[in-house]
């Protein structure tokens, strides 16, 4: 997985976080240990930018980190 979102160090598993927005992200993404694939977010950007912005804002506020190959 080249492009991913990394969970904050304080969070052991994605399931520890309760959030409707993040539940949708996790349900529709490839999750491996402490990494979440960016593919779903990319598709969401194309189809529903308002929801995309809500998810990105929440991830940023909760301390998630974004890593890309570019």
């Amino acid at each position: 997985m080249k492009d991913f979102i990394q969970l904050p160090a304080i969070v052991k598993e994605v399931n520890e976080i309760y959030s409707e927005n993040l539940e949708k992200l996790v349900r529709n993404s490839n999750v491996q240990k402490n990494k979440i694939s960016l593919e779903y977010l990319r598709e969401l950007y194309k189809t529903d930018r308002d929801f995309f912005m809500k998810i990105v804002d929440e991830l940023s506020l909760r301390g998630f980190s974004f890593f890309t190959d570019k």
Side-chain angles (χ1 to χ4, degrees):
M1 184 180 325
K2 293 182 181 181
D3 302 331
F4 60 91
I5 304 164
Q6 187 164 0
L7 274 67
I10 196 165
V11 177
K12 303 294 182 218
E13 291 185 19
V14 177
N15 299 336
E16 291 179 13
I17 300 171
Y18 175 74
S19 165
E20 290 181 27
N21 295 334
L22 296 185
E23 274 185 37
K24 291 177 185 176
L25 172 68
V26 170
R27 192 173 349 133
N28 294 306
S29 298
N30 179 14
V31 179
Q32 296 177 356
K33 295 185 182 179
N34 62 347
K35 298 177 183 177
I36 303 170
S37 174
L38 281 177
E39 293 304 317
Y40 175 68
L41 275 183
R42 287 187 174 129
E43 289 301 317
L44 197 57
Y45 179 80
K46 295 175 190 173
T47 59
D48 188 355
R49 289 200 183 168
D50 289 334
F51 187 59
F52 168 83
M53 291 306 296
K54 286 180 185 178
I55 289 180
V56 170
D57 285 345
E58 187 167 345
L59 289 170
S60 299
L61 289 171
R62 290 180 180 262
F64 286 75
S65 302
F66 296 83
F67 293 92
T68 61
D69 196 29
K70 298 178 183 176

